[in-house]
Coordinates of all heavy atoms in Angstrom, one line a residue:
Chain C
R202 N -93.2 11.7 -54.3 CA -92.9 12.3 -55.6 C -93.2 13.8 -55.6 O -94.1 14.2 -56.3 CB -93.9 11.7 -56.6 CG -93.6 10.2 -57.0 CD -94.7 9.8 -57.9 NE -94.5 10.1 -59.3 CZ -94.1 9.3 -60.2 NH1 -93.9 8.0 -59.9 NH2 -93.9 9.7 -61.4
H203 N -92.3 14.5 -55.0 CA -92.6 16.0 -54.8 C -92.1 16.7 -56.1 O -91.1 16.4 -56.6 CB -91.9 16.5 -53.6 CG -92.4 17.8 -53.1 ND1 -92.3 19.0 -53.9 CD2 -93.2 18.2 -52.1 CE1 -92.9 20.0 -53.2 NE2 -93.4 19.5 -52.1
T204 N -92.9 17.7 -56.5 CA -92.6 18.4 -57.7 C -91.4 19.3 -57.5 O -91.1 19.7 -56.4 CB -93.8 19.3 -58.2 OG1 -93.5 19.8 -59.4 CG2 -94.1 20.4 -57.2
H205 N -90.7 19.5 -58.6 CA -89.6 20.5 -58.6 C -89.9 21.7 -59.4 O -89.1 22.6 -59.7 CB -88.3 19.8 -59.1 CG -87.9 18.7 -58.2 ND1 -87.4 18.9 -56.9 CD2 -87.8 17.4 -58.5 CE1 -87.1 17.7 -56.4 NE2 -87.4 16.7 -57.3
K206 N -91.2 21.7 -59.9 CA -91.6 22.8 -60.8 C -91.7 24.1 -60.0 O -92.0 24.1 -58.8 CB -93.0 22.4 -61.4 CG -93.0 21.4 -62.5 CD -93.8 21.9 -63.7 CE -93.5 21.1 -64.9 NZ -94.5 20.1 -65.1
P207 N -91.4 25.2 -60.7 CA -91.6 26.5 -60.0 C -93.1 26.7 -59.7 O -94.0 26.1 -60.4 CB -91.1 27.5 -61.1 CG -90.9 26.8 -62.3 CD -90.9 25.3 -62.1
L208 N -93.4 27.6 -58.8 CA -94.7 27.8 -58.3 C -95.7 28.1 -59.4 O -96.9 27.6 -59.4 CB -94.8 29.0 -57.3 CG -93.9 28.8 -56.0 CD1 -94.0 30.1 -55.1 CD2 -94.2 27.6 -55.2
E209 N -95.3 29.0 -60.4 CA -96.3 29.4 -61.4 C -96.6 28.3 -62.4 O -97.6 28.3 -63.1 CB -95.8 30.6 -62.2 CG -94.9 31.6 -61.5 CD -93.5 31.0 -61.4 OE1 -92.8 30.6 -62.4 OE2 -93.0 30.9 -60.2
E210 N -95.7 27.3 -62.5 CA -95.9 26.3 -63.5 C -96.6 25.0 -63.1 O -97.1 24.2 -63.8 CB -94.5 25.9 -64.1 CG -94.0 26.8 -65.2 CD -92.6 26.4 -65.6 OE1 -92.4 25.2 -65.8 OE2 -91.8 27.3 -65.8
Y211 N -96.6 24.8 -61.8 CA -97.0 23.5 -61.3 C -98.5 23.3 -61.4 O -99.3 24.2 -61.1 CB -96.6 23.4 -59.8 CG -97.2 22.2 -59.1 CD1 -96.8 20.9 -59.5 CD2 -98.2 22.3 -58.1 CE1 -97.3 19.8 -58.8 CE2 -98.7 21.2 -57.5 CZ -98.3 19.9 -57.9 OH -98.8 18.9 -57.2
L212 N -98.9 22.2 -61.9 CA -100.4 21.9 -62.0 C -100.5 20.5 -61.2 O -99.8 19.6 -61.6 CB -100.9 21.7 -63.4 CG -100.9 22.9 -64.3 CD1 -101.4 22.6 -65.7 CD2 -101.7 24.0 -63.7
P213 N -101.4 20.4 -60.3 CA -101.4 19.3 -59.4 C -101.7 17.9 -60.1 O -101.2 16.9 -59.6 CB -102.5 19.5 -58.4 CG -103.1 20.8 -58.8 CD -102.4 21.5 -59.9
Y214 N -102.4 17.9 -61.2 CA -102.7 16.6 -61.8 C -102.2 16.5 -63.3 O -102.7 15.7 -64.1 CB -104.2 16.3 -61.8 CG -104.6 16.1 -60.3 CD1 -105.2 17.0 -59.6 CD2 -104.2 14.9 -59.7 CE1 -105.6 16.8 -58.3 CE2 -104.5 14.7 -58.3 CZ -105.2 15.7 -57.6 OH -105.5 15.5 -56.3
E215 N -101.1 17.3 -63.6 CA -100.5 17.1 -64.9 C -99.5 16.0 -64.8 O -98.8 15.9 -63.8 CB -99.7 18.5 -65.1 CG -99.2 18.6 -66.5 CD -98.5 19.9 -66.7 OE1 -97.6 20.2 -65.9 OE2 -98.9 20.7 -67.6
T216 N -99.5 15.2 -65.9 CA -98.6 14.0 -65.8 C -97.5 14.0 -66.9 O -96.7 13.2 -66.9 CB -99.4 12.7 -65.9 OG1 -100.2 12.7 -67.2 CG2 -100.4 12.5 -64.8
N217 N -97.6 15.1 -67.7 CA -96.5 15.2 -68.7 C -96.2 13.9 -69.5 O -95.1 13.5 -69.6 CB -95.2 15.7 -68.1 CG -95.4 17.1 -67.5 OD1 -95.8 18.0 -68.2 ND2 -95.0 17.2 -66.2

Side-chain angles (χ1 to χ4, degrees):
Chain C
R202 290 175 82 106
H203 199 291
T204 187
H205 298 292
K206 283 229 165 96
L208 301 179
E209 332 71 62
E210 278 177 39
Y211 172 68
L212 294 179
Y214 292 103
E215 189 179 55
T216 57
N217 295 308

